[in-house]
Amino acid sequence: MSYAIIGSGAIGGALAKQFARSKIKAVITNRRGAASLEDASQTFGPTVSAAETTDALNAEVIILAVPFGAVEEIAKLRSDWSGKIVVDATNAIEFPAFRPLDLGGRPSSQVVAAQLKGAKIVKAFNTLPAAVLADEPRRSEGNRTIFVSGNHVDANEQVASLASSLGFGTITLGRLEEGGLLQQFGGPLAVHSLIKQR
């Protein structure tokens, strides 16, 4: 599988570090373009390389590590997202209040899915603070947990397999309206660092 990380901020950088640590090839991009990612290329290369966003969107698995409000802009870059697995690592936060956005009871990942027509959306990598997400996930007592939710079993399995390859313990929670609600910002699993014992 080919992997792309869209967003080079705290979460994108944490994921790039995990890909590099596990020697899993990926590209990383941001809205400023590949030239702005020279530091990331030096830090995480050659495993993780910089790319233009249009090129990164050719990957089979695309991780959205951007602010929730930026998803709409990214969605416009493709007219058809069919065949793509898109990992929603965003958090729907209202600033400066730092509270969950009012989405009318809809899971935030369903809002993302509605914008990325045809994509298989999987909620993952969003519950841990960036510093914890970047830390070595393999602990003496077990592996740090990544939760996975989505409406497509095959996509869930693919993302869970990726997380396991990065050294995390994985727990699949079911569909977006079930597990996705538990994972999103303000949900009971947000911000908790849990260890899945061996």
Side-chain angles (χ1 to χ4, degrees), residues 5-13 15 62-67 74 87-90:
I5 302 165
I6 311 295
S8 61
I11 296 297
L15 287 167
I62 298 166
I63 303 173
L64 294 180
V66 297
I74 293 166
V87 181
D88 176 19
T90 70

Side-chain angles (χ1 to χ4, degrees), residues 111-178:
V111 176
V112 171
Q115 297 176 85
L116 305 177
K117 301 292 186 186
K120 295 179 178 180
I121 305 296
V122 179
K123 190 73 172 169
F125 298 116
N126 72 297
T127 57
L128 296 174
V132 178
L133 183 62
D135 197 16
E136 169 59 67
R138 304 165 184 89
R139 319 302 293 180
S140 59
E141 65 274 32
N143 298 60
R144 200 176 310 282
T145 301
I146 290 293
F147 298 102
V148 174
S149 300
N151 297 349
H152 304 274
V153 172
D154 59 329
N156 289 350
E157 290 175 348
Q158 194 69 52
V159 174
S161 176
L162 168 63
S164 295
S165 296
L166 294 174
F168 293 95
T170 61
I171 298 177
T172 301
L173 299 174
R175 297 175 62 81
L176 295 176
E177 64 269 23
E178 300 162 349

Side-chain angles (χ1 to χ4, degrees), residues 4 13 15 23 32 44-45 48 71 79-80 83 123 143 146 173 183 186 190:
L15 287 167
K23 296 180 172 52
R32 297 182 304 279
F44 305 122
V48 178
V71 174
S79 58
D80 183 9
K123 190 73 172 169
N143 298 60
I146 290 293
L173 299 174
Q183 288 173 249

Side-chain angles (χ1 to χ4, degrees), residues 37-97:
L37 291 165
E38 185 175 336
D39 288 349
S41 295
Q42 291 180 353
T43 302
F44 305 122
T47 307
V48 178
S49 57
E52 297 297 334
T53 302
T54 49
D55 295 326
L57 293 180
N58 291 323
E60 294 164 286
V61 178
I62 298 166
I63 303 173
L64 294 180
V66 297
F68 182 76
V71 174
E72 183 178 2
E73 179 184 337
I74 293 166
K76 293 175 182 174
L77 298 176
R78 290 184 74 94
S79 58
D80 183 9
W81 290 79
S82 298
K84 300 294 181 184
I85 295 173
V86 177
V87 181
D88 176 19
T90 70
N91 280 304
I93 301 173
E94 180 186 332
F95 293 105

